[in-house]
Amino acid sequence: MIDTISTEIAEGEERIRLEVADGTAVLTLCRPDKLNGWSWESTRQLGLLADRIRFDPSVRAVLLRAEGRAFCAGIDVTAPGGAITGGSAAERTRNYYEGIRWVHERFAVLARLPQPVVAAVQGYCLGFGFELALMADVRVAAEDAVFALPEAGLGVAVDAGGDLRIAREAGAGWAKYLALTGRRIDAATAQRLNLVQLVVPGEDLESTSRALVAEIAENAPLAVQGIKRSVDAYADAALPAALDRVAMTAALTLTSDDSREGYGAKAARRPPHFTGG
């Protein structure tokens, strides 16, 4: 696992770029050659940059976007520090549990920003990418956007609460359907399920999302932030306890034989053979 204590981002190692201008903060996933694949380091940088936004009085709204043809295609399995070790199976499970809880805390810094967050999504939005987009307050999708939670097919649980947020927005049945099957849905279906609010042609994604963020930023900050807090207090009432259960389930599955089989089968391009161990 990466050094989570450092508060610096080394030059050339940026996973996310922050730009602030005209009352708007823009967070850009900037590893297009990796389809903006997610890693421990991505999570660390997200938390650092979200903290900077939180205490910047000039920022009234936030745009979360990505470079390239994908928003985020999920975990980057080639990233350094991807595996967590331990002297025993129990210790390894405990370490994964704490690691996932740490991820939840970093993601919460973004989700609980006082300023509203608009996500602009294009191309693949899978796994951690889908979960990241679901933490925004409003989502705008290009017509080519594709959404999925493929974790169960790899032998692991959905580990950042994306299934919980789908249950909140679309209902428990749809959350189970998407998370249990790993099926992909297009932007139009995501909009029908209330998982995105606007669908636009790809060439209009940038202008539409920036205009929406600017529109929010023009409104009274205290009113905007109060509205966000009130809606979240209602919508997320049961989320903290459920996320702790998610962290433990993720830790157990990430240390399972089925997880090793799932990732091995994917690398070998063969169907997995899960045993429940």
Side-chain angles (χ1 to χ4, degrees):
M1 190 173 173
I2 50 87
D3 178 7
T4 60
I5 298 175
S6 172
T7 58
E8 300 298 324
I9 299 174
E11 185 176 352
E13 293 301 318
E14 298 90 349
R15 268 65 171 175
I16 308 171
R17 186 174 62 249
L18 171 63
E19 300 165 286
V20 177
D22 301 322
T24 297
V26 180
L27 288 168
T28 301
L29 309 188
C30 56
R31 282 284 177 100
D33 57 318
K34 297 286 188 178
L35 298 181
N36 297 309
W38 203 257
S39 64
W40 295 109
E41 177 61 17
S42 302
T43 299
R44 187 184 74 87
Q45 292 185 19
L46 178 69
L48 289 176
L49 297 177
D51 267 340
R52 294 178 190 175
I53 292 169
R54 179 180 183 179
F55 294 105
D56 187 338
S58 72
V59 175
R60 295 189 173 191
V62 181
L63 174 62
L64 176 64
R65 60 181 296 278
E67 293 179 347
R69 60 190 181 90
F71 179 75
C72 173
I75 292 291
D76 178 6
V77 296
T78 68
I84 288 181
T85 59
S88 66
E91 183 183 8
R92 189 164 172 255
T93 299
R94 178 264 181 198
N95 291 345
Y96 261 116
Y97 173 62
E98 290 303 325
I100 295 299
R101 288 182 65 228
W102 174 82
V103 170
H104 290 175
E105 291 162 5
R106 302 286 79 72
F107 274 25
V109 177
L110 174 71
R112 296 175 186 167
L113 279 174
Q115 304 95 332
V117 179
V118 174
V121 179
Q122 78 277 11
Y124 291 124
C125 185
L126 311 177
F128 251 98
F130 195 3
E131 297 188 87
L132 177 63
L134 286 166
M135 290 177 202
D137 299 290
V138 178
R139 288 163 291 281
V140 182
E143 291 174 338
D144 71 344
V146 178
F147 303 86
L149 295 174
E151 286 87 344
L154 296 172
V156 297
V158 179
D159 46 12
D163 47 356
L164 307 182
R165 291 181 169 86
I166 292 173
R168 180 189 66 190
E169 304 288 347
W174 277 108
K176 293 173 184 177
Y177 175 77
L178 294 176
L180 294 176
T181 66
R183 289 191 180 187
R184 297 181 177 186
I185 57 172
D186 60 17
T189 302
Q191 184 179 36
R192 180 166 60 85
L193 298 180
N194 300 320
L195 301 178
V196 302
Q197 281 63 57
L198 296 173
V199 176
V200 298
E203 62 270 21
D204 295 336
L205 178 64
E206 188 78 6
S207 60
T208 300
S209 56
R210 285 184 180 271
L212 177 57
V213 171
E215 183 179 352
I216 294 170
E218 288 174 357
N219 290 328
L222 294 179
V224 165
Q225 293 176 22
I227 290 167
K228 173 174 175 171
R229 281 193 296 270
S230 296
V231 173
D232 285 349
Y234 169 75
D236 296 339
L239 197 59
L243 280 174
D244 189 72
R245 183 181 294 270
V246 165
M248 180 52 70
T249 303
L252 290 170
T253 57
L254 284 164
T255 56
S256 68
D257 292 338
D258 277 351
S259 174
R260 286 191 290 273
E261 167 63 13
Y263 280 101
K266 183 178 182 181
R269 299 182 182 276
R270 61 170 174 80
H273 178 64
F274 295 129
T275 62

